[in-house]
Amino acid sequence: MNTPVPADFQTRVRRQLRQDTMDAAFHLMIEHGWAAVRMTAIAAAVGISRQTLYKEFSSKEQIGEALLLREAERFIDGVAHHVQPHHQVIPAIQAAIGFALDEAATNPLLRAILTTTREGSPDTLLPLITTDSQPLIGLAGQVLRQHITTRAPGLDPEDIAATADALVRLTVSHLMLPLEDTGTTVRRLTRLAERNLGLRPSDS
């Protein structure tokens, strides 16, 4: 008589398979570039059949989306860690933007995306953080709004929302086409935030 497999065990196995798949895709991308990554190669690296892989992810693009969402979660944790010591709005914003720019310079996934784009490859994950990035942009904006509101609950919520959205989009724009050094960019964006939020230096 066959013993039924517990549902929670199946869930754990599936979760581990998804993590292993994303890890394999990540390493293949870093080594060969996203354009060279194939579902066959991912399946071989994980040690499963293509059929099993396709049951979890319908396409390479879906794996790319999952990779970026996982990286976004880690990124948001990093922002929270760097912002936490700052109890005023502007220092917290400076810490958030500075971390974002530094992370983009050192994060292997973001560097691979930006490098592939600058080389002119049409097969890139870049749209997922630019033109198709509403979920990621929205999530980042929400996190920044929460940090600002926590430190200055008396500010106008509309001003906070507009400022957070602008800061996120301008930071992403700088990542795509950096025109200034990191320190200058951080100063300019935080000055913009200070003015948009109606803060005086003593309040910020």
Side-chain angles (χ1 to χ4, degrees):
M1 179 177 179
N2 293 329
T3 303
V5 178
D8 63 334
F9 175 77
Q10 293 177 331
T11 300
R12 291 198 303 272
V13 169
R14 183 179 179 187
R15 185 182 301 119
Q16 187 61 53
L17 174 58
R18 292 179 67 86
Q19 292 299 324
D20 290 347
T21 297
M22 285 186 281
D23 288 342
F26 174 85
H27 291 299
L28 287 168
M29 176 182 180
I30 299 305
E31 185 175 354
H32 303 292
W34 183 248
V37 177
R38 298 288 182 267
M39 294 291 276
T40 301
I42 296 173
V46 178
I48 58 176
S49 66
R50 283 193 305 165
Q51 290 76 12
T52 299
L53 178 58
Y54 275 108
K55 287 180 181 179
E56 280 305 317
F57 295 97
S58 62
S59 65
K60 184 178 83 167
E61 289 68 30
Q62 194 176 70
I63 296 175
E65 290 176 5
L67 260 179
L68 282 178
L69 286 175
R70 185 176 72 171
E71 207 61 34
E73 292 176 357
R74 294 175 178 173
F75 176 81
I76 288 169
D77 288 343
V79 168
H81 174 74
H82 283 77
V83 165
Q84 189 273 333
H86 304 285
H87 303 295
Q88 293 182 303
V89 173
I90 294 305
I93 290 175
Q94 287 175 330
I97 296 173
F99 169 76
L101 297 178
D102 289 341
E103 182 71 5
T106 58
N107 183 286
L109 179 60
L110 289 176
R111 288 184 64 185
I113 293 172
L114 296 175
T115 300
T116 302
T117 302
R118 289 164 186 163
E119 290 174 351
S121 173
D123 187 1
T124 173
L125 288 171
L126 183 64
L128 295 179
I129 55 175
T130 53
T131 56
D132 299 334
S133 64
Q134 285 304 318
L136 291 178
I137 293 290
L139 180 59
Q142 178 183 353
V143 170
L144 190 54
R145 287 197 302 273
Q146 289 172 348
H147 285 303
I148 296 173
T149 302
T150 298
R151 288 160 177 79
L155 293 178
D156 187 312
E158 287 297 323
D159 288 344
I160 293 176
T163 301
D165 182 72
L167 290 176
V168 169
R169 293 179 185 276
L170 288 171
T171 300
V172 170
S173 177
H174 177 82
L175 296 180
M176 300 301 104
L177 185 61
L179 298 177
E180 303 286 352
D181 61 89
T182 296
T184 300
T185 300
V186 171
R187 286 194 300 274
R188 287 180 174 177
L189 292 185
T190 50
R191 185 180 182 189
L192 176 67
E194 196 171 52
R195 292 184 173 186
N196 283 356
L197 294 172
L199 294 171
R200 297 169 299 175
S202 59
D203 299 328
S204 59

